[in-house]
Amino acid sequence: MEQQEDATGAARTAGGTSDGRTGGAGRSTTDAVVAVRAPARAPARASVREPARGPVPGGADGADAPQGAEARPDADAAGTPSEELSPDPGLLRLARWFAEADPGTADDLCAASFGLYPARHFGAPAEPSAVDPAAGGPPGAEVSWWHGPTAHTPAPLRTREPRTAPGLRRARRDAAALPVVLSGAKPGRPGRHRRPERARGAAAVVPQDRSAATTAAERRIAARLLLAHPLVTASGPHADGFPLIRRHRDWLTERFDTLLGYPLVVGPWHARLHKAGPGPGAVRRLEHPATGAPFTPGGYARLALALALLVDAPEQLPLGRLLAAMDAADPAPAESDPAPAESADLAMALAVLADWQVLADLPADLPAGLADASGVLTVDRELARAVPVGPPALADDAADLVRRAAEAEPGTAVRRRLAETPAVLAADLPEDQRAWLRDHRHSGPAALADFLGLEAEQRAEGVALLDPAEELTDLALSGAGTAAQAALLLVERLVEEVRPLPGETTGADVPVPDALIDGVLGDIADEYGLPAGWHRDYLADRTALRRDALDLLHRMGLITTRPAGRLLRAPAARYAPAPDLLPAPGTGRHSRRDPDITIPAPTSPRAGQRA
């Protein structure tokens, strides 16, 4: 919360929290501390006191519905139409930094200042028999990703139903070990990621203490939900898991703080995990919740500008009044009517605020509604105040904010990478973090794997925490869609082409020429495009297919771009077929012959005499 105060120049006060549905500043008092603007900053305003209310019903698990909503005043005297909205100076400064940033810096700045990015992990694990020393295989930590076991599954022509939404799906339980999980989730298939509840190899052992097993599963479900969705409300799309967060908030607060250094604030209406910034070049961007279109620096600037006004706005706010206040407070106001790109940026910003439940009652057709500027929005000020986590008041500029937000002691910094990113390569770490990972090669990943229900994959180049259920990730390489299928096929063939031979000193990266990428992608599109039902727009526009496929591989950490060109990273080899390290059999007289190949007898008489 100290960072939140720095962001808004706020005073620490006990405040009401929201239900994420109809606003609700001051609805009930909790032990959570929220950051609000210092009273001296705002113009003098009349005050409306709500009647005193008792403690929030429902107890630790929040099972009962909140009461007292009918006592909420119909209007907020602090938001009379004659009074201008007062923007928060810290968020206004952040909006200016967004407007001046390039796209990559703007993405990093968003992750550092809001911390609402989800975790990202690989899915299917490698073949266990090849890495288990007990099964005769080599120790995993001594094997390179380039030549180790793979998680390869044939990609061509397979079909897969698209997921309805990225991130954590509804909680699934192991029916044998956990017959009941009081999370409100619907019954489902047994979850593959419930590691402590299911034994490996031999028959599963049903815990004798079923209550302890249920508690462990509930805590893991809640932790995974928060890591996938750092802002969870009691009435939002992940409301099924909110009672679990409330019930285990003390344990979750302690574990997140100890392992990752993330503060967790849980009130009666929402839970907020304050993630730290992942640092520069983390490839985390904000996208439109419906279309998936990436934010531009202008869109980020509009988002920060709207938040600067909403943290102290009235609960009922006319849309036209908000738009006028944003134009007046814009650090770089337009000289004439807004361009179409600016209108699209504004529509994206408001759509994300509605997705976060900061705003409600937006026009159904947002672009047309913005042009009309009619209607009244419902503002949840407490959720608006919960969004910023970065310290813009302490930073000199955008780059300094990104750096400050990622600062942590070596162990915490490495654990954050393990929990948030697909793979942690030692070559990418500073020396102090590399030394910590070397000294805690097994214990560090194991603690997080147990906390989040993941599986550790140790390799010579680094460590990856895997989620076989593909729930704790916002991206899945083996996902649906033309770009995802093309990306998987592309990385498979690139690895086969440039994979280093055993004994070659190449490190974690291997150069991959652009010409090879173009040639391989062209072959893939010709071979699999129409039979696999790929989108015709991609087949007609190979440049767009190349761009989106490489973008997915880049965001998954399998390809990186350096000044010298593109590099294929070692974890990419886990998606390619296992390497054949033996020489290929030939058919000549001096070649090593494959015993399964039968060479026909010569038919020429002269050839027979030579034989």
Side-chain angles (χ1 to χ4, degrees):
M1 292 303 294
E2 289 82 357
Q3 291 181 341
Q4 174 74 9
E5 292 175 7
D6 292 331
T8 60
R12 294 171 65 90
T13 63
T17 52
S18 96
D19 61 357
R21 185 173 44 188
T22 58
R27 191 163 316 160
S28 55
T29 302
T30 74
D31 56 356
V33 176
V34 298
V36 297
R37 183 192 315 277
R41 289 188 182 177
R45 297 181 178 181
S47 62
V48 175
R49 292 183 178 271
E50 290 192 41
R53 298 190 179 97
V56 176
D61 58 0
D64 298 332
Q67 303 294 325
E70 69 280 355
R72 189 171 62 249
D74 294 332
D76 188 346
T80 56
S82 61
E83 196 169 342
E84 294 184 359
L85 297 176
S86 176
D88 178 84
L91 290 170
L92 201 60
R93 187 184 189 196
L94 185 63
R96 184 176 70 252
W97 288 348
F98 276 126
E100 297 171 351
D102 59 76
T105 303
D107 292 338
D108 294 339
L109 185 58
C110 175
S113 55
F114 299 148
L116 286 171
Y117 56 91
R120 185 175 296 168
H121 293 284
F122 296 139
E127 292 296 329
S129 59
V131 297
D132 184 6
E142 299 176 3
V143 177
S144 169
W145 263 306
W146 291 117
H147 309 114
T150 69
H152 173 73
T153 54
L157 308 184
R158 68 168 177 260
T159 58
R160 177 175 175 174
E161 293 184 2
R163 299 194 322 204
T164 56
L168 202 68
R169 297 191 291 268
R170 291 182 179 270
R172 301 184 299 180
R173 278 88 66 197
D174 183 341
L178 303 171
V180 177
V181 175
L182 303 177
S183 65
K186 296 180 180 179
R189 295 179 299 169
R192 289 176 290 174
H193 59 276
R194 313 297 180 218
R195 295 176 67 251
E197 288 77 42
R198 175 169 294 188
R200 290 173 176 255
V205 178
V206 179
Q208 297 298 319
D209 188 347
R210 305 180 75 86
S211 176
T214 301
T215 298
E218 288 182 350
R219 288 174 172 176
R220 190 168 298 109
I221 292 169
R224 290 167 64 91
L225 176 60
L226 285 166
L227 205 63
H229 305 282
L231 180 60
V232 180
T233 64
S235 60
H238 306 287
D240 286 340
F242 183 73
L244 297 183
I245 299 173
R246 288 271 299 159
R247 185 175 303 137
H248 302 289
R249 61 182 180 269
D250 292 338
W251 184 87
L252 291 168
T253 300
E254 187 276 330
R255 295 307 292 160
F256 273 115
D257 181 66
T258 300
L259 292 175
L260 301 173
Y262 291 165
L264 174 63
V265 178
V266 182
W269 312 106
H270 78 271
R272 177 67 162 104
L273 182 65
H274 291 259
K275 289 191 176 186
V283 201
R284 296 305 179 105
R285 69 190 185 208
L286 196 60
E287 297 178 345
H288 191 287
T291 66
F295 263 62
T296 64
Y300 287 126
R302 291 290 177 178
L303 177 60
L305 186 59
L307 279 173
L309 295 163
L310 295 176
V311 292
D312 210 19
E315 186 173 335
Q316 298 297 316
L317 178 64
L319 175 58
R321 185 180 172 199
L322 174 62
L323 299 181
M326 291 180 66
D327 289 339
D330 192 343
E335 297 179 358
S336 58
D337 292 338
E342 295 174 349
S343 298
D345 289 340
L346 178 59
M348 288 185 68
L350 297 183
V352 164
L353 290 172
D355 186 60
W356 292 344
Q357 298 182 274
V358 172
L359 289 179
D361 302 325
L362 282 173
D365 185 357
L366 194 52
L370 292 177
D372 183 63
S374 61
V376 178
L377 307 178
T378 301
V379 181
D380 193 321
R381 289 179 293 195
E382 298 306 324
L383 286 182
R385 294 166 182 167
V387 169
V389 296
L394 300 179
D396 298 330
D397 52 27
D400 189 41
L401 174 58
V402 172
R403 180 187 60 81
R404 285 175 177 269
E407 287 180 343
E409 59 90 19
T412 301
V414 175
R415 282 192 294 265
R416 286 175 180 173
R417 286 177 177 251
L418 288 168
E420 305 284 8
T421 59
V424 177
L425 277 64
D428 297 339
L429 301 177
E431 181 55 38
D432 56 347
Q433 297 180 21
R434 192 181 306 122
W436 186 93
L437 181 60
R438 183 173 58 250
D439 296 339
H440 302 80
R441 183 101 185 181
H442 298 286
S443 61
L448 281 174
D450 180 70
F451 177 49
L452 300 170
L454 303 175
E455 298 183 13
E457 184 172 277
Q458 302 274 355
R459 291 294 181 267
E461 295 87 359
V463 185
L465 291 184
L466 313 177
D467 181 30
E470 293 188 1
E471 294 177 341
L472 193 54
T473 185
D474 61 332
L475 296 176
L477 183 58
S478 56
T482 299
Q485 294 181 17
L488 182 57
L489 289 165
L490 175 62
V491 76
E492 290 175 355
R493 295 199 178 182
L494 289 179
V495 170
E496 291 183 289
E497 291 287 342
V498 303
R499 187 195 330 244
L501 295 175
E504 289 185 349
T505 306
T506 57
D509 302 328
V510 173
V512 53
D514 285 342
L516 177 61
I517 294 174
D518 293 336
V520 169
L521 194 58
D523 292 342
I524 291 171
D526 292 340
E527 187 175 352
Y528 299 107
L530 290 176
W534 285 4
H535 201 286
R536 291 185 178 272
D537 290 345
Y538 274 127
L539 296 178
D541 187 356
R542 300 292 176 86
T543 301
L545 179 62
R546 181 184 193 273
R547 180 197 63 225
D548 292 346
L550 288 177
D551 176 68
L552 177 56
L553 296 177
H554 182 57
R555 296 167 71 190
M556 291 296 293
L558 303 181
I559 281 182
T560 187
T561 303
R562 302 287 166 77
R566 285 190 173 85
L567 300 173
L568 191 66
R569 314 221 72 188
R574 69 187 312 274
Y575 287 101
D580 182 7
L581 302 181
L582 297 176
T587 57
R589 288 185 298 168
H590 302 289
S591 300
R592 179 179 62 87
R593 296 189 177 184
D594 192 323
D596 294 332
I597 297 179
T598 302
I599 300 178
T603 56
S604 170
R606 179 171 295 183
Q609 292 175 1
R610 286 201 305 268

